[in-house]
Amino acid sequence: MSAAKIKKGDKVVVLAGKDKGRTGTILQVLPKEDRVVVEGVNVHARHRKADQSNPQGGIDRKPAPLHISNVAIAGADGKATRVRFEERDGKKVRVAVKSGEVI
């Protein structure tokens, strides 16, 4: 099993789909399904009927998972970059391919 290149809290850019070009923070990683949930991206609306627990009813909006291949880490300039692993000071760290910065 390899280490994850994208982790919770990373800033990412969406590469494909209706939200292409938008950026957001990873809220959740679902490794078994190869999906991630990105804040403010791929937001789906669920219309709720009024009931005892929610007497007003209304529309619930929440971000839905995206496939991990459709997002990439955002570099310091805000553009998408690939990630590689290097050993620095005896530790394995994630490094942005374009800039060489530690993520």
Side-chain angles (χ1 to χ4, degrees), residues 6 12-16 22 26 36 38 41 66-73 80-81:
I6 295 179
V12 294
V13 179
V14 179
L15 301 176
R22 293 184 64 190
I26 298 286
V36 292
V38 183
V41 175
L66 291 166
H67 197 271
I68 202 162
S69 66
N70 292 332
V71 297
I73 299 267
T81 182

Side-chain angles (χ1 to χ4, degrees), residues 61-96:
R61 299 183 196 287
K62 72 176 203 172
L66 291 166
H67 197 271
I68 202 162
S69 66
N70 292 332
V71 297
I73 299 267
D77 58 354
K79 293 183 180 176
T81 182
R82 294 187 313 278
V83 176
R84 71 168 170 251
F85 291 97
E86 289 182 1
E87 195 169 313
R88 295 192 180 174
D89 301 327
K91 287 194 168 192
K92 186 176 178 181
V93 293
R94 296 182 300 157
V95 177

